[in-house]
Amino acid sequence: MDYAQFLSEVQRDGSFASREEAEALVVGVLMAMAEVLPRPQLEALASQLPPETMVYLRRTGSQPDPLFDSHLFLGWVVSTLDATGSRDKTVGGLDLTAAYSGEEAIRRMRCVFSALKRRLGPDQQRELVALLPEEVDTWFLNA
């Protein structure tokens, strides 16, 4: 499968303005997955994706990070969002920029998960769900 085609699917699914925006999202999601999946599952995932994505499925440590939770996973995606805004001026109020960023990050992540799921069989999808952090597994299932 072609890398440009993969990015186009993500861009179309998310209605992103540019290929660069879709690519930044794909990079963030794959790098987060590299932190939580064991090596055999990373290799199986890489075999279903364009070769250009392999570099993002490498991690620095030898084992998955057991402390990598849904918040850290989302952090890889939120870091690609333009979430500038002014400080929250209410005492103890909701930071609307942060709330929006989280919801938008989940929506964006689901676009990548959807493109991934189209390339994976049901058994491989179930295997990934069992290894993803709590909450991320649900986002993957609902993509």
Side-chain angles (χ1 to χ4, degrees), residues 21-32:
E21 188 177 5
E23 185 170 31
L25 177 61
V26 167
V27 168
V29 170
L30 293 180
M31 289 177 77

Side-chain angles (χ1 to χ4, degrees), residues 54-122:
M54 287 183 170
V55 68
Y56 308 120
L57 291 170
R58 294 192 184 126
R59 70 170 157 262
T60 53
S62 60
Q63 297 294 320
D65 184 346
L67 302 177
F68 205 94
D69 63 4
S70 63
H71 297 283
L72 288 172
F73 205 101
L74 264 183
W76 287 83
V77 179
V78 171
S79 67
T80 66
L81 292 176
D82 180 14
T84 57
S86 59
R87 292 184 336 145
D88 182 12
K89 294 182 175 50
T90 62
V91 177
L94 177 65
D95 180 348
L96 296 176
T97 303
Y100 170 78
S101 296
E103 291 170 10
E104 179 63 10
I106 292 168
R107 183 191 76 79
R108 289 169 173 251
M109 186 176 10
R110 284 183 178 153
C111 294
V112 177
F113 284 164
S114 180
L116 290 175
K117 287 172 68 173
R118 286 192 284 271
R119 284 152 184 81
L120 306 175

Side-chain angles (χ1 to χ4, degrees), residues 1-3 46 49-56 58:
M1 184 230 312
D2 180 81
Y3 186 57
L49 297 175
E52 294 89 341
T53 62
M54 287 183 170
V55 68
Y56 308 120
R58 294 192 184 126

